[in-house]
Amino acid sequence: MKNSERDHDLVIYGATGFVGELIAAYVAEHAPTGLRIGIAGRSRSKLEAVRSRLPAAAREWPLIEADSEDTGALTAMAESTRALFTTVGPYVKYGLPVVEACARAGTHYGDLTGEVSFVRDAIDRCDDLAKASGARIVHACGYDSVPSDLAVLLLHQAAEADDAGPLTEVQLVATAKGGVSGGTIDSMRGQLDGARSDAALKSLAGDPYGLSPERAAEPSTDQPADYASVTRSANGLWTAPFVMAAGNTRIVRRSNALQNWAYGRSFSYGEVMGISRGPAGAVVARVVAVGLKVFMGAMAVPVTRRVLDRFLPAPGKGPSLDAQRNGWFRSEVTARTEAGHRYRATAKGPGDPGYAATAVMAGETALALALDGDRLPPVSGSLTPATALGSVLVERLRAAGHTYEVTRLP
């Protein structure tokens, strides 16, 4: 089906969820007049309720009923639109049929997943289909993993422009203020359950190149541990393990491989969470490291998980509006090149990183997929934010109030 024959330019699937409604509201406020947008989910009554709460521009948006287990409905939805953005998770449970429907229909696709096993399955099942149809399948288009992926892309571009050689030692230090939603917790449960019960998934979780398009061609470069020990950075900031490192690092390494290892064959990339300086920072970093280990261990055991579930947010719940507005994120990525040059990229923005800021990242991704086809890199298949959207998404996010900048260090 040709794009000109389609009923919609963009469909937001999962608009009745906590994050889905945030993204729909953002798109309603920022989409150009005339863009044909629909919202989709499995319950028409819930879709009607969401639409009534959205900005005035969305009041006439069509509603699309589609259950993630209804192949026919998913096919019809995918074939009706040029681009689709989905927030229906956990993706490992509900995501693959949506990806496949878009890959077959030649419909550009974006999601918010941080689930490595889901992305691997989507690559294996749908990459060839999407290449044949011309669809861009773009995973991890929120706080995981847009700041990581775009910041490293900018570092590569700066080093290349300076003829400074390939990137070698690259590390992201994340600081943020924000909350957590029940959907995020539910995705974590699914990943832990899969790794516990399936040896192949456990092996995938431990493979730093688990999302590579060609695993056998990856270099033997050692990669930092996903959950690094407590350390102190060059500027004196104490750091602790970053819970999102396992997903983000694999997306960034996939971006390198998809670009024929343009960042470098000796590219080493890790992520940590910044705490603070001084003796107090050291103490807090160790407490965070131990707390994360205990929490992950407790979530992996059914008995202790049931206790935690009494206190954790349920699916569909998330931070308050005030908490979303008062949040922020800042990712500083330092890099060294083979020629010895050093750079720093900064990605930062206002709003709770997983919700308010993610709505901006996801919304601009969705609009780019729907509107900017002629300006995007000429690629298709199973992609990443950096390889599918690249500088176009950087420009959009800058215009939306986020910062993406690179500095050459002495």
Side-chain angles (χ1 to χ4, degrees):
M1 184 180 294
K2 296 180 181 179
N3 283 339
S4 59
E5 300 171 350
R6 302 197 177 197
D7 296 329
H8 311 104
D9 298 309
L10 172 65
V11 165
I12 301 168
Y13 184 45
T16 58
F18 186 81
V19 181
E21 185 171 344
L22 292 177
I23 295 169
Y26 179 87
V27 171
E29 291 176 348
H30 295 87
T33 301
L35 192 69
R36 301 167 303 160
I37 303 168
I39 55 175
R42 63 182 180 180
S43 168
R44 184 173 185 86
S45 61
K46 290 183 179 180
L47 287 169
E48 289 173 345
V50 167
R51 186 174 61 179
S52 71
R53 296 191 296 267
L54 294 177
R59 296 300 160 78
E60 300 301 321
W61 284 359
L63 309 178
I64 303 167
E65 288 183 83
D67 191 291
S68 60
E69 296 181 353
D70 186 339
T71 302
L74 294 181
T75 297
M77 177 175 66
E79 290 180 347
S80 77
T81 184
R82 296 169 57 199
L84 180 145
F85 199 97
T86 175
T87 65
V88 179
Y91 291 94
V92 73
K93 289 184 180 180
Y94 307 115
L96 282 172
V98 184
V99 178
E100 185 171 357
C102 289
R104 290 187 182 280
T107 298
H108 303 314
Y109 163 102
D111 67 32
L112 296 175
T113 191
E115 303 166 39
V116 173
S117 61
F118 163 72
V119 177
R120 183 70 261 174
D121 280 350
I123 293 166
D124 294 342
R125 298 189 190 189
C126 302
D127 185 41
D128 288 342
L129 287 172
K131 287 177 179 176
S133 71
R136 296 180 176 91
I137 306 297
V138 196
H139 300 293
C141 300
Y143 182 52
D144 49 353
S145 303
V146 165
S148 307
D149 209 28
L150 295 186
V152 175
L153 175 67
L154 291 177
L155 287 168
H156 158 66
Q157 292 174 342
E160 186 176 50
D162 291 346
D163 197 22
L167 305 178
T168 53
E169 303 168 19
V170 184
Q171 183 186 63
L172 179 146
V173 178
T175 52
K177 178 183 178 182
V180 65
S181 78
T184 300
I185 295 296
D186 210 24
S187 292
M188 183 183 296
R189 291 187 190 99
Q191 293 180 81
L192 290 170
D193 289 345
R196 187 178 69 247
S197 61
D198 188 316
L201 293 181
K202 185 175 182 180
S203 176
L204 174 66
D207 184 355
Y209 298 107
L211 297 183
S212 175
E214 191 177 355
R215 182 63 183 86
E218 289 289 355
S220 58
T221 304
D222 289 336
Q223 296 294 338
D226 294 331
Y227 302 114
S229 58
V230 172
T231 58
R232 188 163 59 174
S233 63
N235 64 2
L237 187 72
W238 285 96
T239 66
F242 184 37
V243 70
M244 299 170 69
N248 291 344
T249 55
R250 284 153 180 78
I251 290 291
V252 171
R253 292 176 197 134
R254 178 170 175 80
S255 291
N256 185 29
L258 285 173
Q259 298 172 88
N260 196 29
W261 292 275
Y263 301 167
R265 298 289 298 182
S266 298
F267 175 71
S268 171
Y269 179 69
E271 296 190 350
V272 295
M273 178 169 58
I275 304 298
S276 61
R277 295 176 175 82
V283 172
V284 174
R286 290 186 175 91
V287 170
V288 169
V290 172
L292 178 60
K293 185 175 181 179
V294 170
F295 176 75
M296 297 293 282
M299 286 291 289
V301 178
V303 174
T304 51
R305 178 189 292 181
R306 285 195 290 270
V307 175
L308 288 175
D309 283 347
R310 297 176 186 174
F311 305 97
L312 295 171
K317 304 295 183 180
S320 68
L321 185 58
D322 283 344
Q324 292 178 45
R325 290 172 174 168
N326 293 329
W328 51 269
F329 76 94
R330 182 184 183 94
S331 298
E332 289 200 352
V333 193
T334 55
R336 186 181 297 275
T337 73
E338 288 185 0
H341 300 284
R342 296 174 61 244
Y343 295 83
R344 179 178 60 239
T346 301
K348 63 180 181 178
D352 182 299
Y355 305 98
T358 278
V360 177
M361 298 175 204
E364 293 297 343
T365 294
L367 291 171
L369 289 172
L371 292 167
D372 296 336
D374 293 341
R375 299 199 302 134
L376 297 178
V379 291
S380 59
S382 186
L383 304 166
T384 62
T387 56
L389 305 163
S391 298
V392 171
L393 184 55
V394 173
E395 292 172 10
R396 280 187 164 275
L397 291 174
R398 285 171 174 163
H402 288 193
T403 296
Y404 285 83
E405 60 186 15
V406 177
T407 303
R408 183 167 177 172
L409 301 176

